[in-house]
Amino acid sequence: MSSQLPAVIVPAFIPSPSQGVWHLGPLPLRAYAICILIGIFAGYWLGRKRWVARGGSAEVLADVIMWAVPFGLVGARIYHVITDAELYFGEGKHPIDALKIWHGGLGIWGAVGFGALGAWIACRRHKVPFLAVADAMAPGIALAQVVGRFGNYFNQELFGRPTNHWWGLEIDPAHRPDGFQDFGTFHPTFLYEALWNLGVIALVILAGRRFKLGHGRAFALYVAGYTAGRAWIENLRIDTVNEFGGLRLNVWTSLILFVLAVAFFVVSARLRPGIEDISGTAGGGEPTATATDAASSSNDVPSDETAATSNPSAGLPAAGSDPSTTEPHEAAAGASATGTTVPAGTSATASDASGATAPILEETGPHSPLPGEEVKADPAGPRD
């Protein structure tokens, strides 16, 4: 028996999937759509954890996502069709193909822009701060992009220039663009972007723990981080797109958005430092009572003692009145109104709110005896 182990053959490239569509009876299950859906749920899961941790309502965020996702999908397709109109319109083209989203073609800029519009509408409905929602969802958006990029892998699309590196992506001849038929492996730009976005997720989360990234700054950091990577990854791709000034359209878009995101981050940090409190908003349950509210409530709602001492029917002076102005006959009348018999020579009593009896003191002078006290003659005689 030979002591040598069989050799393990390690491929010198990343193989492409053998298929991207499976059929469940007449229903086609497309890997591209599955990746998009998994990405949406993964992004929502991460954003929900961050939103709830800040005191927000999970139900409100779910409704915001229900608005943002359809807007985002429509916007992503619109952006792609507008920026690559030559693929769908013109001689020999089929405009109906613009609706076949399962064939690929979603622009991230349209997804984020239109998705933000849908989220803003939902935030207005629920009276929650839109920028706070954007901050909570920022790493979740990046996570959705990580998963969604694998849809490009199954479609064998959006790859980069040819490469002989061991991580090169094998592309079938049917998916190779014109002029690259003799090359078998290409830069896996989908994988580059997925790994880059994992770094963006870590950056936003760690920076948020170290600094107070509120008022849209966490979202701005995501935009700046993503566009910085997208600019150089986009330059590796060889798919046909529109160019301006020698740069691909998405490179220009990345550069512009990077500058805007950094500017927003700096200005926001100066004008609105810190992080907003969402626990008292409509998205974070009932507002918590402040010290001022508690003091106001205590002044507005009388206590049992106050109610008892200000009850005219009990024969007591009203709150705010001078007890010294209450006449003895008024006290007695009040005691009679309550059904209490006031014997002669004794003080009347009235029941308070708790059921206990409180003595009703008659008006006394500086030398008048207290109720029940024996009257003694003054040896010095009456004083003037």
Side-chain angles (χ1 to χ4, degrees), residues 51-277:
W51 178 252
V52 172
R54 287 188 55 181
S57 167
E59 291 76 12
V60 169
L61 184 64
D63 189 64
V64 172
I65 296 301
M66 292 298 294
W67 279 80
V69 169
F71 272 73
L73 291 175
V74 172
R77 188 60 177 179
I78 290 176
Y79 180 88
H80 166 73
V81 172
I82 291 177
T83 56
D84 293 289
E86 66 278 1
L87 300 177
Y88 306 100
F89 306 99
E91 185 178 356
K93 302 299 180 181
H94 304 283
I96 192 64
D97 290 343
L99 302 178
K100 298 178 180 179
I101 191 174
W102 54 87
H103 288 167
L106 295 176
I108 183 60
W109 315 119
V112 174
F114 275 69
L117 174 60
W120 178 81
I121 294 174
C123 288
R124 294 269 297 179
R125 286 164 50 88
H126 289 284
K127 296 181 174 59
V128 296
F130 167 71
L131 291 180
V133 173
D135 286 337
M137 288 302 303
I141 297 173
L143 180 59
Q145 291 177 256
V146 170
V147 181
R149 274 303 177 195
F150 282 85
N152 301 134
Y153 168 67
F154 281 96
N155 280 357
Q156 297 192 46
E157 61 184 1
L158 306 185
F159 45 84
R161 296 191 296 264
T163 181
N164 292 324
H165 293 303
W166 63 266
W167 63 81
L169 176 65
E170 179 190 29
I171 298 296
D172 294 338
H175 296 280
R176 299 172 191 171
D178 295 339
F180 295 91
Q181 293 295 325
D182 296 334
F183 299 92
T185 55
F186 300 81
H187 279 284
T189 51
F190 85 93
L191 183 60
Y192 296 165
E193 185 169 327
L195 294 176
W196 181 272
N197 282 339
L198 287 176
V200 173
I201 295 172
L203 173 64
V204 174
I205 293 177
L206 294 177
R209 293 176 180 175
R210 176 65 178 83
F211 308 99
K212 299 297 184 181
L213 298 183
H215 304 285
R217 288 191 294 279
F219 183 79
L221 183 60
Y222 148 73
V223 174
Y226 171 71
T227 53
R230 179 62 184 268
W232 69 267
I233 295 173
E234 183 74 18
N235 271 326
L236 292 175
R237 286 167 45 171
I238 57 176
D239 51 305
T240 303
V241 295
N242 295 317
E243 294 187 359
F244 301 94
L247 292 178
R248 296 164 65 94
L249 174 62
N250 282 331
V251 174
W252 281 113
T253 307
S254 297
L255 294 176
I256 294 172
L257 290 178
F258 176 83
V259 173
L260 293 177
V262 172
F264 178 89
F265 188 96
V266 173
V267 173
S268 175
R270 292 181 178 178
L271 298 181
R272 307 181 72 183
I275 186 170
E276 60 267 58
D277 180 16

Side-chain angles (χ1 to χ4, degrees), residues 289-334:
T290 62
T292 304
D293 297 334
S296 175
S297 298
S298 64
N299 292 334
D300 295 339
V301 181
S303 63
D304 292 343
E305 181 180 358
T306 305
T309 58
S310 60
N311 186 1
S313 65
L316 300 180
S321 64
D322 188 356
S324 64
T325 62
T326 305
E327 297 296 334
H329 67 277
E330 294 176 349

